[in-house]
Amino acid sequence: MKKIVILISGRGSNMEALIAARDAGNLPVNIAAVISNRPDAAGLETAARASIPTHFINHKAFAGREAFDSRLAQCIDEFEPDLVVLAGFMRILSDGFVRHYAGRLINIHPSLLPSFPGLHTHQRALEEGVRIHGCTVHFVTPALDHGPVIVQAAVPVLDGDDEASLAARVLRQEHLVYPQAVRWFAEGKLTLENGRVRLAAELAEPAALVSPVLAASGIR
Ligand code: GRF
């Protein structure tokens, strides 16, 4: 069974979705550890309650980004994971760290990349007046919120939406597509070849890659 390590900084609801999928028998992975750079990350308690080993590495205790990343990598590598899963890990990662995990480091971002990398994605989507918003699971490259896309889920932006309502609609999709992407990896159906995502033939169909919500909303 493939081993994963999850990195968080806060609430940890995506991590929770991964744990729930595992517990439901839908995600055949060993969640070897959850690591946070913040001691008060609520997700640490959730992970501990699920009997998953947790670690806290305080980025403020290190002189610079490289020093922190190298300690972080040391901690991760003790678990020998097949995949490192960023789930709301609010740190910019150094090139060396990203290179070390090439092809086995994934992230979820709350927008349809390449639109809206960075912070405050929902507010920015509202300000731009986009009609469709969503989330993206992607392999990580040294550029922020960038990299080969594994799966995206789209949601409509409705009249009357505010940042909270739109964020909640996107988050529901995040909790579906992230376990799905990790499952594909765990089942050997997802690889990165020459910078391109390769999916098993049965997955590489539009129906498997686009959120059902989009169809249900009447937007095509
Ligand atoms: C999510 O919106 C995720 O897309 C982004 O950070 C947020 C983390 O939420 N990277 P949670 O900690 O998983 O609840």
Side-chain angles (χ1 to χ4, degrees):
M1 189 180 290
K2 294 254 166 54
K3 248 197 246 181
I4 69 170
V5 165
I6 304 176
L7 306 189
I8 63 168
S9 296
R11 179 176 60 178
S13 70
N14 276 289
M15 174 207 73
E16 216 172 332
L18 293 166
I19 296 172
R22 181 203 64 175
D23 291 348
N26 293 328
L27 186 55
V29 293
N30 168 4
I31 305 177
V34 170
I35 304 173
S36 169
N37 65 312
R38 299 184 57 101
D40 54 351
L44 281 177
E45 259 181 46
T46 313
R49 269 202 308 278
S51 306
I52 296 167
T54 59
H55 287 268
F56 155 56
I57 305 174
N58 182 4
H59 62 273
K60 293 184 186 149
F62 292 82
R65 193 173 299 286
E66 271 76 19
F68 169 73
D69 283 4
S70 132
R71 172 71 193 97
L72 178 62
Q74 188 188 26
C75 182
I76 294 170
D77 289 347
E78 278 168 25
F79 297 98
E80 302 184 333
D82 299 287
L83 184 69
V84 178
V85 178
L86 305 179
F89 188 62
M90 303 301 283
R91 295 276 309 165
I92 291 174
L93 296 163
S94 58
D95 289 11
F97 182 95
V98 172
R99 266 199 308 275
H100 180 64
Y101 295 105
R104 52 192 184 111
L105 178 62
I106 65 173
N107 181 44
I108 187 159
H109 182 74
S111 79
L112 292 173
L113 291 173
S115 291
F116 311 122
L119 297 174
H120 310 300
T121 55
H122 309 302
Q123 187 57 40
R124 286 158 59 206
L126 287 170
E127 282 164 10
E128 290 293 342
V130 299
R131 290 295 181 190
I132 298 176
H133 186 43
C135 59
T136 303
V137 180
H138 64 99
F139 282 103
V140 174
T141 64
L144 180 69
D145 297 327
H146 171 268
V149 170
I150 298 165
V151 63
Q152 294 181 301
V155 302
V157 180
L158 304 178
D159 291 347
D161 262 338
D162 59 14
E163 190 178 4
S165 64
L166 187 53
R169 192 173 307 122
V170 171
L171 193 64
R172 278 195 295 280
Q173 296 303 308
E174 294 188 37
H175 295 165
L176 298 177
V177 292
Y178 218 8
Q180 184 182 51
V182 175
R183 183 170 65 243
W184 288 345
F185 186 91
E187 292 173 342
K189 294 178 176 169
L190 162 65
T191 50
L192 188 62
E193 287 167 28
N194 303 321
R196 296 287 302 265
V197 167
R198 292 275 168 247
L199 294 175
E202 75 263 30
L203 302 178
E205 287 178 17
L209 298 174
V210 177
S211 162
V213 165
L214 189 60
S217 72
I219 298 172
R220 301 203 181 258

